């Protein structure tokens, strides 16, 4: 019996990644609203 890894990935890992990305964007937006200079400094350092 073989596992369907594509199905496993779609059901187990992808939803977590999407949730994590969404939460990161919410935190980033909150930081930008509260401390815009800090948010821009972090953005500059990442690039």
């Amino acid at each position: 019996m073989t596992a369907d890894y594509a199905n496993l990935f779609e059901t187990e890992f992808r939803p977590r990644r999407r949730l994590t990305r969404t939460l990161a964007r919410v935190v980033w937006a909150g930081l930008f609203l509260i401390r815009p200079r800090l948010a821009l400094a972090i953005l500059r350092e990442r690039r």
Side-chain angles (χ1 to χ4, degrees):
M1 183 174 211
T2 61
D4 183 8
Y5 290 109
N7 190 27
L8 178 69
F9 179 79
E10 291 293 327
T11 59
E12 292 295 321
F13 297 105
R14 185 170 273 205
R16 279 188 230 145
R17 183 180 296 169
R18 190 175 298 142
L19 179 62
T20 303
R21 190 175 295 148
T22 302
L23 289 174
R25 287 180 180 162
V26 168
V27 169
W28 180 257
L31 179 64
F32 193 77
L33 289 173
I34 296 168
R35 304 276 311 263
R37 287 184 188 172
L38 177 61
L40 290 175
I42 293 170
L43 183 63
R44 274 187 234 113
E45 285 183 18
R46 285 188 70 204
R47 293 183 179 196

